[in-house]
Amino acid sequence: MAIALLIDLILFVVAFLLHVVSCRLFKSSNHSKNLIAIFFFVLCTGLVIFGDIGFAVWGERLVWPIGYIYACILFFSLTASYLITFSAIEAESPSIMITLKVAQAGPCGLIISKLFETLNDDVLLKPRINDLVNEKLVYESEGKYKLTKRGTLFIRIVIFYRDLICVGKGG
Amino acid sequence: MVYNLYHLVFTLFCFMVNVLVQVIAKRRSRSISLLNSVFIGFFTGFFLFIVLEGMVYIYSFRKGDEVLNLFYNLLLFFSLSYNYFHFVNLGETARRARILTEIYESKGGLSERGILTRYNAHKIVKKRVVRLLRHGQIVFRDNAYFIGKPFMIIASNVVMFMKFIILGMNFEFLAKKGKL
């Protein structure tokens, strides 16, 4: 497990750096998709490389198949954590925007009408609707937005969970 | 190095306990906030994790290996719990989830105007301001809002820093786009 942990940590750092470079170089509209592709590529090549080189360097080999399973499970979980964090960083969080605006107002304080002026539908809602279309969770037909199969599955899981814990709509 | 499947099973079991306790706690008591139910679930799972890992360590003949195994399991448990926390949070605060819910409930689909009638920036800002006030992150006095507890402003600065590192966006860039 120690070798799986070590390999995972190295691969995670490499994948993270590659992702940062890709974000800086390419103005892609879908960084999350790139992230998944980069992390998957790094895991596959990394396991092939370290599976053999690891023995020469550390005197220990990843045991087939259990060592690879351990390495993959932790790596997938870390990747999911990074993907979630990245999504939060990429999108403008309303709470963070409000906090920063209040902080910028300084000792005079911020009047709520100022918030409504700048944090409008163009900033908070419309980009999110476009994201849903880009991620193929929603499609536009005859001027109306409708859910794709993926979108329906995704929201059914969320609604099922929220019904399970007896809470209403979020947002 | 020893590979024992029970390490993985223990960690996944503790994570399942985490989820189960959170769901039961939230279902049984309406007075518990969603965030507190997540904490209750997490600490129950973590306590069980410490007990099980402690037992493994005590009865192990190769204690050096067990310490390294503990790091692996700890990282996996924290990572899974973090992912679960964000899944819970997704339904609670994510605008995309809310937009999808509105479209799902409308059956025949919704126009942009239809979406904005049901869910709009005004509602979002109002809800977030109430939430920030409730948690003392901002305070209201003399008809204006001021920073309260420093947690949210620290978190906001961390997010801005990461935005700068990963995406190369800084305050000026966002201000130009009208986002700050």
Side-chain angles (χ1 to χ4, degrees):
Chain A
M1 274 165 82
I3 189 86
L5 175 66
L6 191 63
I7 289 174
D8 274 345
L9 293 179
I10 292 170
L11 295 184
F12 185 79
V13 171
V14 170
F16 169 73
L17 292 175
L18 281 176
H19 182 242
V20 171
V21 171
S22 88
C23 283
R24 293 292 192 106
L25 289 182
F26 308 110
K27 296 258 178 260
S28 165
S29 62
N30 206 336
H31 289 304
S32 300
K33 219 173 193 173
N34 293 350
L35 187 155
I36 294 168
I38 289 169
F39 275 69
F40 186 70
F41 171 76
V42 169
L43 176 68
C44 293
T45 47
L47 285 180
V48 170
I49 293 167
F50 282 112
D52 290 331
I53 293 178
F55 184 70
V57 179
W58 301 300
E60 195 180 321
R61 199 187 292 276
L62 265 184
V63 179
W64 176 265
I66 190 91
Y68 285 83
I69 292 172
Y70 268 92
C72 287
I73 287 176
L74 181 62
F75 191 83
F76 286 144
S77 186
L78 290 175
T79 303
S81 300
Y82 178 60
L83 180 65
I84 292 163
T85 309
F86 178 75
S87 305
I89 292 167
E90 195 183 21
E92 292 355 300
S93 156
S95 299
I96 286 176
M97 289 163 90
I98 292 168
T99 309
L100 290 173
K101 279 188 183 296
V102 173
Q104 278 173 352
C108 305
L110 186 80
I111 302 162
I112 194 145
S113 58
K114 284 264 184 192
L115 275 179
F116 290 126
E117 263 173 37
T118 46
L119 299 182
N120 51 37
D121 291 332
D122 290 335
V123 175
L124 293 181
L125 259 303
K126 288 176 186 174
R128 296 284 76 78
I129 298 172
N130 290 335
D131 285 347
L132 291 171
V133 175
N134 287 338
E135 288 170 16
K136 296 187 173 59
L137 293 167
V138 158
Y139 68 97
E140 203 177 351
S141 162
E142 295 162 3
K144 282 189 171 182
Y145 290 103
K146 294 175 182 177
L147 296 181
T148 60
K149 277 185 184 170
R150 253 180 75 196
T152 309
L153 178 70
F154 173 76
I155 204 59
R156 274 188 183 157
I157 293 169
V158 174
I159 291 172
F160 169 78
Y161 173 74
R162 291 189 67 81
D163 285 346
L164 189 70
I165 59 169
C166 309
V167 289
K169 282 186 224 173
Chain B
M1 182 58 63
V2 183
Y3 285 94
N4 288 317
L5 211 55
Y6 62 75
H7 280 291
L8 196 59
V9 173
F10 279 177
T11 309
L12 296 178
F13 174 70
C14 294
F15 172 66
M16 293 308 293
V17 169
N18 171 357
V19 173
L20 211 64
V21 169
Q22 187 271 328
V23 170
I24 292 170
K26 189 63 198 152
R27 278 182 72 92
R28 298 282 291 202
S29 174
R30 293 279 170 93
S31 60
I32 296 175
S33 71
L34 196 57
L35 187 65
N36 283 344
S37 72
V38 171
F39 283 138
I40 291 168
F42 172 77
F43 284 114
T44 310
F46 189 54
F47 175 73
L48 191 65
F49 176 85
I50 298 286
V51 171
L52 289 174
E53 285 294 329
M55 280 167 61
V56 169
Y57 183 78
I58 289 166
Y59 292 108
S60 172
F61 295 108
R62 301 175 66 167
K63 299 215 187 299
D65 283 354
E66 292 306 336
V67 173
L68 292 170
N69 292 342
L70 178 69
F71 276 117
Y72 175 97
N73 292 334
L74 206 59
L75 196 58
L76 183 62
F77 180 76
F78 281 155
S79 170
L80 289 172
S81 301
Y82 177 79
N83 294 345
Y84 180 64
F85 165 71
H86 275 281
F87 171 71
V88 175
N89 208 28
L90 173 95
E92 185 65 11
T93 61
R95 284 161 287 166
R96 292 193 294 184
R98 176 63 187 266
I99 296 166
L100 287 174
T101 308
E102 294 298 343
I103 298 172
Y104 179 76
E105 287 179 349
S106 73
K107 304 296 175 199
L110 280 175
S111 62
E112 187 177 272
R113 200 187 170 87
I115 294 170
L116 297 178
T117 309
R118 288 165 172 79
Y119 185 55
N120 50 49
H122 197 272
K123 283 184 183 174
I124 295 170
V125 172
K126 247 174 123 176
K127 208 169 179 177
R128 303 291 171 122
V129 166
V130 168
R131 204 178 285 157
L132 289 168
L133 280 171
R134 199 173 56 223
H135 292 115
Q137 302 300 335
I138 57 172
V139 288
F140 184 71
R141 61 171 190 266
D142 305 328
N143 282 327
Y145 292 96
F146 299 87
I147 290 293
K149 292 177 190 166
F151 174 77
M152 199 61 193
I153 191 72
I154 294 168
S156 303
N157 283 324
V158 169
V159 169
M160 292 306 293
F161 177 71
M162 288 173 79
K163 211 185 253 290
F164 173 68
I165 295 291
I166 300 171
L167 296 167
M169 293 178 183
N170 55 15
F171 280 95
E172 287 75 30
F173 179 85
L174 292 168
K176 261 185 205 169
K177 291 185 100 183
K179 291 177 178 177
L180 279 178

XYZ file of all heavy atoms in Angstrom, chain A residues 1 66 70 73, chain B residues 4-17 48-49 52-53 72-73 76-77 80:
241
model
N 0.816 -1.207 0.000
C 0.000 0.000 0.000
C 0.856 1.265 0.000
O 0.444 2.281 -0.513
C -0.920 0.016 1.219
C -2.205 -0.721 0.972
S -3.063 -1.063 2.480
C -3.878 0.486 2.760
N -3.964 -6.575 -6.875
C -4.413 -5.826 -5.699
C -3.720 -4.465 -5.554
O -4.359 -3.467 -5.211
C -4.263 -6.694 -4.412
C -4.943 -6.018 -3.215
C -2.833 -6.981 -4.054
C -6.342 -6.411 -3.026
N -5.598 -0.809 -5.422
C -5.376 0.194 -4.374
C -4.974 1.539 -4.989
O -5.493 2.588 -4.612
C -4.271 -0.281 -3.415
C -4.796 -1.051 -2.232
C -4.906 -2.424 -2.261
C -5.173 -0.395 -1.063
C -5.390 -3.143 -1.169
C -5.650 -1.089 0.030
C -5.759 -2.472 -0.027
O -6.241 -3.159 1.049
N -8.052 3.152 -6.854
C -9.135 3.657 -5.989
C -8.760 4.999 -5.373
O -9.540 5.950 -5.417
C -9.484 2.615 -4.892
C -10.240 1.449 -5.534
C -10.326 3.239 -3.773
C -10.561 0.315 -4.603
N -3.504 -6.220 2.237
C -4.642 -6.895 2.822
C -5.915 -6.174 2.415
O -6.026 -4.967 2.584
C -4.533 -6.910 4.353
C -3.460 -7.867 4.811
O -3.356 -8.962 4.294
N -2.650 -7.433 5.755
N -6.852 -6.937 1.925
C -8.089 -6.330 1.452
C -8.896 -5.718 2.595
O -9.691 -4.809 2.386
C -8.916 -7.389 0.701
C -9.792 -6.856 -0.430
C -8.979 -6.079 -1.430
C -10.535 -7.985 -1.104
N -8.683 -6.227 3.817
C -9.498 -5.709 4.925
C -9.245 -4.230 5.195
O -10.112 -3.522 5.691
C -9.349 -6.549 6.202
C -7.972 -6.607 6.814
C -7.443 -5.527 7.525
C -7.209 -7.769 6.710
C -6.181 -5.597 8.094
C -5.950 -7.840 7.276
C -5.433 -6.753 7.954
O -4.189 -6.823 8.517
N -8.050 -3.729 4.842
C -7.779 -2.303 5.015
C -8.775 -1.488 4.198
O -9.375 -0.536 4.683
C -6.373 -1.963 4.533
C -5.326 -2.295 5.537
N -5.201 -1.607 6.711
C -4.371 -3.244 5.541
C -4.203 -2.116 7.403
N -3.682 -3.114 6.714
N -8.912 -1.904 2.944
C -9.817 -1.197 2.033
C -11.262 -1.356 2.493
O -12.032 -0.386 2.513
C -9.639 -1.774 0.621
C -10.184 -0.949 -0.528
C -9.548 0.415 -0.566
C -9.942 -1.680 -1.842
N -11.606 -2.571 2.893
C -12.978 -2.855 3.346
C -13.301 -2.004 4.576
O -14.384 -1.413 4.663
C -13.159 -4.365 3.637
C -14.515 -4.641 4.267
C -12.999 -5.164 2.360
N -12.372 -1.911 5.517
C -12.579 -1.103 6.734
C -12.844 0.356 6.374
O -13.765 0.985 6.880
C -11.349 -1.158 7.649
C -11.275 -2.402 8.497
C -10.189 -2.624 9.325
C -12.291 -3.351 8.486
C -10.107 -3.765 10.108
C -12.221 -4.496 9.256
C -11.129 -4.709 10.068
N -11.998 0.880 5.495
C -12.123 2.301 5.122
C -13.455 2.562 4.431
O -14.147 3.539 4.750
C -10.955 2.714 4.198
O -9.737 2.319 4.819
C -10.921 4.213 3.974
N -13.807 1.688 3.497
C -15.076 1.871 2.783
C -16.259 1.695 3.733
O -17.267 2.407 3.626
C -15.173 0.893 1.600
C -14.134 1.107 0.495
C -14.290 0.057 -0.604
C -14.227 2.505 -0.113
N -16.118 0.755 4.674
C -17.177 0.535 5.671
C -17.362 1.801 6.529
O -18.498 2.232 6.771
C -16.816 -0.666 6.552
C -17.771 -0.884 7.691
C -19.068 -1.333 7.462
C -17.385 -0.645 9.003
C -19.955 -1.524 8.514
C -18.259 -0.837 10.058
C -19.553 -1.274 9.819
N -16.264 2.390 6.974
C -16.339 3.616 7.789
C -16.971 4.760 7.002
O -17.748 5.544 7.547
C -14.949 4.043 8.274
S -14.246 2.873 9.417
N -16.660 4.813 5.716
C -17.264 5.850 4.878
C -18.773 5.626 4.740
O -19.563 6.571 4.805
C -16.585 5.873 3.498
C -17.271 6.768 2.517
C -17.292 8.139 2.711
C -17.928 6.249 1.414
C -17.955 8.983 1.816
C -18.592 7.073 0.514
C -18.601 8.448 0.721
N -19.159 4.345 4.587
C -20.587 4.029 4.491
C -21.316 4.419 5.784
O -22.445 4.915 5.752
C -20.806 2.528 4.212
C -20.343 2.058 2.850
S -20.978 3.006 1.474
C -22.690 2.587 1.562
N -20.660 4.176 6.916
C -21.235 4.560 8.216
C -21.414 6.078 8.263
O -22.457 6.579 8.705
C -20.339 4.064 9.385
C -20.765 4.683 10.715
C -20.391 2.550 9.476
N -15.063 5.483 14.230
C -15.033 4.045 13.923
C -13.732 3.691 13.204
O -13.118 2.648 13.473
C -16.238 3.699 13.042
C -16.528 2.224 12.838
C -16.928 1.573 14.156
C -17.655 2.053 11.830
N -13.301 4.577 12.315
C -12.063 4.388 11.564
C -10.869 4.274 12.525
O -10.038 3.374 12.398
C -11.871 5.574 10.606
C -10.592 5.563 9.827
C -10.498 4.860 8.640
C -9.474 6.254 10.278
C -9.311 4.846 7.913
C -8.290 6.245 9.566
C -8.215 5.544 8.382
N -11.062 0.897 14.455
C -10.706 -0.266 13.626
C -9.217 -0.266 13.271
O -8.541 -1.301 13.374
C -11.552 -0.287 12.345
C -13.031 -0.624 12.533
C -13.778 -0.473 11.218
C -13.208 -2.039 13.052
N -8.711 0.894 12.880
C -7.285 0.980 12.519
C -6.408 0.732 13.754
O -5.351 0.116 13.659
C -6.964 2.345 11.908
C -7.458 2.525 10.487
C -6.777 1.630 9.474
O -5.590 1.281 9.656
O -7.450 1.256 8.504
N -2.421 5.804 3.945
C -3.206 5.540 2.736
C -4.692 5.596 3.076
O -5.478 6.279 2.419
C -2.840 4.154 2.173
C -3.688 3.741 0.994
C -3.250 3.924 -0.316
C -4.943 3.158 1.188
C -4.035 3.544 -1.387
C -5.739 2.779 0.116
C -5.273 2.977 -1.163
O -6.068 2.604 -2.232
N -5.070 4.859 4.143
C -6.488 4.779 4.505
C -7.051 6.127 4.941
O -8.184 6.457 4.626
C -6.684 3.763 5.631
C -6.407 2.370 5.145
O -6.551 2.091 3.963
N -5.987 1.490 6.035
N -7.648 8.220 1.924
C -8.824 7.732 1.195
C -10.109 8.119 1.927
O -11.065 8.596 1.303
C -8.742 6.209 1.024
C -9.863 5.564 0.215
C -9.884 6.092 -1.218
C -9.712 4.041 0.185
N -10.121 7.943 3.241
C -11.318 8.268 4.029
C -11.635 9.765 3.941
O -12.779 10.157 3.708
C -11.137 7.843 5.489
C -12.335 8.153 6.348
C -13.475 7.360 6.279
C -12.339 9.243 7.204
C -14.596 7.662 7.044
C -13.450 9.545 7.970
C -14.579 8.750 7.894
N -12.874 10.626 0.351
C -14.255 10.183 0.102
C -15.246 11.061 0.868
O -16.297 11.440 0.348
C -14.434 8.714 0.526
C -13.742 7.671 -0.351
C -13.845 6.279 0.285
C -14.354 7.627 -1.747
